[in-house]
Amino acid sequence: MATAVCAPPAAPCEDRRISKSKRALREALIALLEERGFDAITVNDLCERADLTRGTFYNHFSDKENLLAVLEDEVMADIGALQGRMHDITLADMLAYRVAGRPLPLLVELFDYLREQSAFLHAVLGPGGDARFAPRLREAICENLVQNILHEKYRDNPTPFVEYYVAFYAAAYLGIIACWIERGTPESSEDMARIATRLFFIKPGESIEL
């Protein structure tokens, strides 16, 4: 019986080279999305901008669509790690932090992450990016957050109006994120957490102050 031979693990220097190549392609994609838009980008463009060979590209990705999908999935996986904790947020929690004037820690952590990814998000959410990504972001972050702070009877038995309510606030929260990224993330994560909470409770005709 033949004995199976396991391939040796990649050497640390090889791992670093792979990480460096993927990082260079990520940066190249961001720059080209901003300059030309996804439809106008070729694999050659990406390789030239990243200073890599086509062979290196195809060692990791099948085409430019695969590269974009992998990068988007990585962001969604990171956000998914926060989703479990979002389920623990209640309306009472948000009200308590609102009254105390303190930012909700999980929202601060979320905006910290969005700031780290702001270059990629600016490119992929922009006119030259991927129109399919915004709905994924809205569902993962905004819809989950809004649904979690609904009264239990609406969470368990939603009506058409509740569905519109969730859609309204989820779109609004995505708008907050997109506007902040478009403006270059000038506010701190703590301020953005306060803004996100304040906007949820603001009423028509109230003074628009943080």
Side-chain angles (χ1 to χ4, degrees):
M1 178 181 297
T3 303
V5 178
C6 296
C13 60
E14 182 179 350
D15 290 338
R16 286 195 295 270
R17 283 197 299 269
I18 293 172
S19 296
K20 184 178 179 180
S21 296
K22 291 183 176 179
R23 186 166 56 250
L25 286 169
R26 186 179 191 275
E27 293 172 357
L29 178 63
I30 290 171
L32 291 169
L33 283 174
E34 297 284 11
E35 293 173 15
R36 308 179 192 178
F38 186 72
D39 291 342
I41 298 172
T42 67
V43 170
N44 281 340
D45 294 331
L46 289 164
C47 292
E48 182 177 344
R49 184 63 62 95
D51 195 22
L52 297 171
T53 66
R54 286 172 60 89
T56 299
F57 179 93
Y58 287 116
N59 281 339
H60 307 299
F61 306 102
S62 59
D63 49 35
K64 66 174 186 176
E65 287 80 9
N66 179 230
L67 169 62
L68 179 61
V70 167
L71 295 178
E72 290 178 344
D73 288 346
E74 287 176 353
V75 170
M76 297 309 301
D78 290 339
I79 291 173
L82 296 174
Q83 281 182 298
R85 293 164 57 197
M86 283 185 189
H87 291 307
D88 297 329
I89 297 176
T90 65
L91 181 60
D93 293 331
M94 294 192 73
L95 278 169
Y97 278 94
R98 164 67 186 142
V99 170
R102 294 187 292 121
L104 194 66
L106 181 57
L107 288 180
V108 174
E109 189 174 339
L110 172 63
F111 280 104
D112 278 342
Y113 177 74
L114 294 174
R115 184 194 301 279
E116 291 174 5
Q117 299 294 328
S118 60
F120 177 74
L121 292 173
H122 187 278
V124 79
L125 292 174
D130 182 2
R132 299 165 300 180
F133 188 67
R136 295 181 67 189
L137 200 63
R138 183 182 64 232
E139 179 180 358
I141 299 177
C142 310
E143 289 183 12
N144 276 325
L145 183 60
V146 175
Q147 286 174 336
N148 290 343
I149 61 178
L150 286 174
H151 191 282
E152 288 181 1
K153 66 179 181 181
Y154 299 123
R155 272 184 266 164
D156 298 336
N157 186 26
T159 66
F161 184 80
V162 171
E163 292 182 8
Y164 288 123
Y165 177 91
V166 171
F168 174 82
Y169 272 101
Y173 266 65
L174 181 62
I176 293 168
I177 292 170
C179 182
W180 182 58
I181 291 172
E182 181 65 31
R183 296 179 63 240
T185 65
E187 289 82 15
S188 68
S189 298
E190 289 76 12
D191 281 346
M192 288 306 300
R194 293 189 187 96
I195 288 169
T197 302
R198 175 73 179 103
L199 288 174
F200 192 85
F201 294 108
I202 200 166
K203 298 177 182 179
E206 280 189 6
S207 175
I208 304 178
E209 296 178 355
L210 181 57

